[in-house]
């Protein structure tokens, strides 16, 4: 049997499928030099995409919001994603799609309208945002001292790479011995963390912020699970004091699913372990995956 | 005579000097996927860098602020810049230096501390942020409706690629038939534009914002020129009403120098031409270049 040269990951760039190591961007692409790009990430679990249509819907929304228009239409993008996964041979993977501004067709132009937008996609081996052993004991979340960029300046529902405020929070979290960060906005309301939505549980009720947050696909799944399990769940403003007074906390993201927490900035929640509602949501999330929930089988080569 | 393969631009990446077209970044570099990078741009005019030390000082400040630590020290970075320009053979160029987060040394890590930071540099043919013919008639600035990202979330003195709010402003400016955009913050105070500081002239006094702005090297040069020319110049809060009531307006940036304006969002300033103080600052800026002001000769190969 020959080794699969796409085994470390398969990418699509400039219309070609290449091993991930060969997927590179010019250093002068505005997707880099102006962070003028949007993206999305869908996961594949046991040879099936999870909520592929939802991710494609959001990706199209993000592209339209930033007037990014690569040559591939939605059906072509979907086909590219299938082929990246099939080439990689990975049963479990995360699959990124990126629309980049590119470079001006007319040399010297400084107008984004003059650029040749392009699509990048790639399938990589599965990775959790929060390592599995940390999820097991319950993640320790640090409330960052710097505020999240406000929605009026950068729309958080348009999935983007502008992570500077999130990265600042991460450094501070690690400096303080915490696993990851969550950010409040300048008014002191909870927003999100680096790569995940955040939820709290208070008196049996599940809550997630109404502002400063991506409309997460896993977040949407949590609401569906809560409905099925008879748990009240709301989108609402969450002042920092309410966060600090939570019974439970958990993160939700494609790259890891439902990930329970145990501590928030010096406070130990419950028994310093994942809380019962968080744990049952996590369990249900993966159980449903096994049952084929929102599944689209990866098309073979 | 053989053609110089670096003539379109010379780059340094992964420790090698390559033609600009070969300077590429993995699509999985956090410099791209988290916009976790800082940069600076110095210009070369007639075979001499302008204020090279100031740019290196600021680049080091930016790197330290984001805990970016590529293997090359300041002296090595300076040598790389000289060599990029010399290889390109360009007499007039702009020269970028970029520090990138890179990728985790430990596969699977989500910690910025675990990444292999790296330096990119390149010299490209000179380009003005605002085309010369537009500078001639006076640029038309559009006041964007979206606010600039606040300083507390992303430090504007750390030169970064997170241009989403600036790009939004640019689109709106072009939609309205304007050349470029300037942004106010959420409180309505003037900040900066995409790639430049902004100045106003009111009653003979030159003013530039005290917030939301890069500490521009050209901005610094303008203050030195004002001092030499006996023009009062201040860094101060500039509410939108004061901007709209300005006698003159001009932009200041490495990629173009002092660039006078003629209109601000529907208002025509003076005679719809560059104002006298702006024009004299522009003239002095380039005249001083010819006199060798703050010049460091490019080292030959």
């Amino acid at each position: 049997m020959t080794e699969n040269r796409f085994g470390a990951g398969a990418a699509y760039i400039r219309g070609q499928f290449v091993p991930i190591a060969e997927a590179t961007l010019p250093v002068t692409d505005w997707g880099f030099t102006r962070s003028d790009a949007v993206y999305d990430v869908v996961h594949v679990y046991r040879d099936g995409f999870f909520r592929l249509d939802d991710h494609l819907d959001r990706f199209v929304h993000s592209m339209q919001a930033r007037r990014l228009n690569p040559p591939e239409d939605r059906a072509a993008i979907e086909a590219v994603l299938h082929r990246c996964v099939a080439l990689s041979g990975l049963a479990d993977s995360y699959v990124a799609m990126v629309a980049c501004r590119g470079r001006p067709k007319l040399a010297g132009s400084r107008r984004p309208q003059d650029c040749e937008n392009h699509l990048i996609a790639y399938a990589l081996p599965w990775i959790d945002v929060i390592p599995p052993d940390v999820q097991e004991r319950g993640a320790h979340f640090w409330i960052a001292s710097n505020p999240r960029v406000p929605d009026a300046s950068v729309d958080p529902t348009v999935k983007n790479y502008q992570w500077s405020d999130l990265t600042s929070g991460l450094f501070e979290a690690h400096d303080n011995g915490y696993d990851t960060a969550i950010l409040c906005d300048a008014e002191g309301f909870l927003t999100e963390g680096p790569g995940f939505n955040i939820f709290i549980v208070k008196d049996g009720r599940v809550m997630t912020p109404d502002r400063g947050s991506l409309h997460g696909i896993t977040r949407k799944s949590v609401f569906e699970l809560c409905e099925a399990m008879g748990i009240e769940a709301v989108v609402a403003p969450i002042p920092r004091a309410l966060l600090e007074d939570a019974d439970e906390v958990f993160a939700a993201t494609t790259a890891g699913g439902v990930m329970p927490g145990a501590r928030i900035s010096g406070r130990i929640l419950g028994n310093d372990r994942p809380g019962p509602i968080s744990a049952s949501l996590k369990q249900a999330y993966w159980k449903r995956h096994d049952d084929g929930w929102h599944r689209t089988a990866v098309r073979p080569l």
Side-chain angles (χ1 to χ4, degrees), chain A:
Chain A
M1 190 173 157
T2 56
E3 203 194 337
N4 176 7
R5 69 190 188 100
F6 293 102
Y12 171 88
I13 189 164
R14 287 178 289 272
Q16 306 288 323
F17 291 90
V18 296
I20 186 66
E22 294 171 23
T24 62
L25 197 69
V27 297
T28 53
D29 192 303
W30 292 17
F32 175 52
T33 63
R34 298 184 175 195
S35 197
D36 196 355
V38 297
Y39 78 111
D40 221 290
V41 177
V42 56
H43 74 268
V44 168
Y45 177 76
R46 298 185 184 172
D47 300 309
F49 286 101
F50 182 65
R51 308 197 82 133
L52 179 56
D53 279 336
D54 287 325
H55 284 281
L56 286 167
D57 284 348
R58 190 173 64 187
F59 186 51
V60 168
H61 159 73
S62 295
M63 286 194 289
Q64 287 172 346
R66 301 308 299 170
R67 303 194 199 179
L68 286 161
N69 191 24
E72 296 83 356
D73 64 12
R74 183 185 166 126
I77 294 169
E78 185 172 355
V80 161
L81 301 180
H82 275 277
R83 192 164 172 83
C84 282
V85 180
L87 283 170
S88 77
L90 295 164
D92 301 321
S93 64
Y94 71 103
V95 187
M97 57 205 100
V98 188
C100 256
R101 186 65 65 195
R103 286 186 297 181
K105 280 168 264 186
L106 198 73
S109 167
R110 307 278 298 190
R111 298 167 65 93
Q113 302 89 318
D114 295 342
C115 288
E116 207 145 9
N117 306 164
H118 62 104
L119 176 75
I120 304 169
Y122 50 90
L124 288 177
W126 174 265
I127 183 180
D128 287 4
V129 163
I130 299 174
D133 56 319
V134 172
Q135 293 182 45
E136 204 56 41
R137 71 146 154 79
H140 300 170
F141 296 101
W142 178 260
I143 306 173
S145 60
N146 63 299
R148 183 84 174 109
V149 167
D151 299 15
S153 292
V154 180
D155 182 348
T157 73
V158 174
K159 200 164 165 71
N160 67 75
Y161 284 145
Q162 300 194 175
W163 271 44
S164 177
D165 52 343
L166 300 169
T167 299
S168 296
L170 263 185
F171 272 120
E172 194 181 271
H174 298 154
D175 287 347
N176 285 280
Y178 281 69
D179 299 312
T180 189
I182 46 185
L183 274 68
C184 293
D185 64 16
E187 288 74 39
F189 289 94
L190 182 58
T191 65
E192 61 187 356
F196 56 82
N197 285 121
I198 193 85
F199 285 77
I200 65 164
V201 183
K202 181 67 184 170
D203 300 328
R205 197 164 76 136
V206 166
M207 300 177 73
T208 199
D210 64 345
R211 63 196 67 189
S213 302
L214 181 71
H215 291 168
I217 310 291
T218 311
R219 175 176 180 261
K220 183 176 177 179
S221 301
V222 166
F223 277 89
E224 291 179 14
L225 290 173
C226 286
E227 174 147 20
M229 294 162 76
I231 300 165
E232 190 191 354
V234 294
V235 176
I238 301 181
R240 184 180 166 133
L242 182 56
L243 165 68
E244 291 176 332
D245 196 37
D247 301 323
E248 302 181 30
V249 62
F250 63 89
T253 170
T254 288
V258 175
M259 298 182 299
R263 299 185 186 180
I264 307 173
S265 278
R267 287 166 187 263
I268 294 174
L269 306 180
N271 302 320
D272 200 13
R273 304 288 302 171
I277 291 179
S278 307
S280 63
L281 284 167
K282 178 181 178 176
Q283 191 180 28
Y285 180 79
W286 291 112
K287 171 70 173 61
R288 291 284 194 114
H289 274 65
D290 287 329
D291 299 341
W293 190 34
H294 297 303
R295 183 176 190 274
T296 304
V298 175
R299 293 176 208 146
L301 287 177

